[in-house]
Amino acid sequence: MSDPAAMRPVRCLSAVGLCLTLGMAAPAVAQSTPESLPRLGLAAHDASVIGVSSGGYMATQLAVAWPERFSGLGVLAAGPWACARGSLSLALGQCMGTHKGPPDLELLADRYRDYRERDLVGEAEALAELRVFIWQGAEDDTVAPALGQALAEQFRGWLAAPEEQLSRVESEQAGHGWPVAADTQAPVQELTDCREGGATHLLACDRDIAGEALGWLHGELTPPEAQEASGRLLAFDQADFDARGLADTGYLYVPERCEAGGCTLTVALHGCAMGAEQIGETFVRHSGLNDWAAANERVVLYPQAETSLPNPQGCWDWWGFAESAWQLDPLHDTREGTQTSALMAMIARLQAAPETP
């Protein structure tokens, strides 16, 4: 991300949100006219949320607000929960770089306790049962690696058995982005240097981070087969989930074996400048998530954020821009957050039983 006044392009994308992408390999082509998000009767158990950069911050907000709805949380290139505390200045100075000092985990613990007393986040007992995967590039110059360490420390205080539930991985010579395996089906022009990042932020690090994360969060999985994943990539209308900062269209990957329902769900959240508005379907096709999902009967939901004047790079709201127009103390990181509420409504829709004719 860059200074908001400077708006430096490419690798440093936006100071008001973190820059990054997920992606996924899928042979299907999304339909041109988005329909409503379907009711698929997905299982309510064993759901996970994974995000990178601004999407990583948002993923943590979802998991802390609704821990009973998730079994696993994956975070790439992001710092501790509620790091910005509703302040853009703190977002820039303590949650990307640390020139204003490291995040104060005691203050964040106080914030959590206050939210818990007001029923704005989930029960501590449910939070304690999560499995958590944290990845950081050691050469990340967008989000300081120390922030990933702070996130891990925060969760060590929350989890019942952190040595068994928490995995923190730091890759040497890796920058800010989403690592992909050497045999990814992504076109070479969609990849970027492992250390330098930039462009799509799909890092050519020869590391299948999608498989690593899902394997930690859900246990031993069936490896993807060599051929392309068999499933459909659907574009859906996000208007049903109206919230400030959401794009018009989101994406959903449905393996063939999940058409009849009963599968499990992973929510994947992109980072700044990595939505379809900016880079088309690169994010939703080339991270490796779809291959693992097809092999293990998981549906992948890819919600999309939009660009706007207060959010020029299309980031997820982890510092309070979507709430600040009417709240002095934004509740973006709670159950009442406009984006968190919209994302949870999408999950509820997918887990609802299909409508009968």
Side-chain angles (χ1 to χ4, degrees):
M1 294 186 297
S2 68
D3 189 293
M7 290 294 292
R8 283 171 288 177
V10 191
R11 178 159 54 88
C12 294
L13 296 174
S14 168
V16 294
L18 304 175
C19 44
L20 194 53
T21 181
L22 305 178
M24 59 187 198
V29 177
Q31 72 275 22
S32 58
T33 303
E35 299 179 356
S36 295
L37 185 67
R39 293 169 171 82
L40 290 179
L42 300 184
H45 73 280
D46 204 29
S48 57
V49 57
I50 183 168
V52 296
S53 208
S54 74
Y57 274 111
M58 176 57 78
T60 303
Q61 288 175 186
L62 281 180
V64 173
W66 299 98
E68 66 275 16
R69 302 289 296 276
F70 299 100
S71 63
L73 165 67
V75 181
L76 281 70
W81 171 82
C83 183
R85 288 183 279 143
S87 165
L88 177 58
S89 176
L90 287 178
L92 302 179
Q94 287 192 329
C95 308
M96 292 175 57
T98 55
H99 61 271
K100 289 193 172 184
D104 189 329
L105 296 185
E106 285 301 318
L107 281 178
L108 300 185
D110 290 342
R111 187 180 185 89
Y112 174 78
R113 284 189 288 267
D114 173 62
Y115 281 173
R116 179 79 284 286
E117 290 173 1
R118 296 156 61 191
D119 198 29
L120 293 174
V121 294
E123 296 281 355
E125 292 78 7
L127 184 63
E129 296 304 313
L130 283 176
R131 291 185 67 82
V132 180
F133 179 88
I134 298 170
W135 178 87
Q136 188 85 31
E139 301 298 323
D140 191 333
D141 55 10
T142 300
V143 178
L147 293 165
Q149 297 172 10
L151 174 63
E153 182 179 347
Q154 189 178 56
F155 268 98
R156 288 188 187 101
W158 285 338
L159 299 178
E163 65 282 358
E164 299 173 5
Q165 295 168 248
L166 173 66
S167 174
R168 180 179 180 272
V169 178
E170 186 170 295
S171 295
E172 296 183 2
Q173 304 301 316
H176 188 74
W178 176 278
V180 295
D183 60 353
T184 178
Q185 297 172 14
V188 65
Q189 64 269 23
E190 301 291 352
L191 303 181
T192 189
D193 182 77
C194 182
R195 166 61 187 87
E196 294 299 321
T200 65
H201 287 275
L202 287 179
L203 304 179
C205 297
D206 193 17
R207 184 161 202 156
D208 180 10
I209 208 67
E212 286 186 45
L214 292 177
W216 178 263
L217 299 181
H218 300 291
E220 186 174 351
L221 300 178
T222 301
E225 297 180 0
Q227 64 266 29
E228 290 182 329
S230 177
R232 294 192 299 151
L233 179 64
L234 311 173
F236 69 91
D237 187 355
Q238 291 192 153
D240 290 344
F241 311 96
D242 186 33
R244 189 179 185 201
L246 283 189
D248 293 336
T249 302
Y251 291 84
L252 183 73
Y253 178 71
V254 184
E256 280 186 4
R257 287 178 289 178
C258 296
E259 296 282 354
C263 290
T264 48
L265 174 67
T266 291
V267 181
L269 300 173
H270 64 76
C272 301
M274 298 314 303
E277 180 182 353
Q278 297 105 322
I279 62 165
E281 294 179 355
T282 299
F283 161 73
V284 300
R285 288 187 180 277
H286 299 304
S287 72
L289 286 172
N290 284 359
D291 294 329
W292 285 94
N296 292 277
E297 299 186 0
R298 303 195 70 83
V299 169
V300 187
L301 172 66
Y302 295 90
Q304 297 287 299
E306 69 173 356
T307 62
S308 64
L309 185 61
N311 181 29
Q313 299 296 335
C315 311
W316 291 104
D317 184 17
W318 63 277
W319 72 95
F321 79 86
E323 321 287 331
S324 58
W326 67 88
Q327 292 177 346
L328 292 177
D329 184 13
L331 296 177
H332 61 288
D333 50 1
T334 74
R335 291 182 171 184
E336 295 186 5
T338 181
Q339 289 191 1
T340 55
S341 297
L343 293 172
M344 293 307 298
M346 293 181 194
I347 293 171
R349 172 78 65 84
L350 289 167
Q351 293 175 342
E355 293 180 336
T356 55

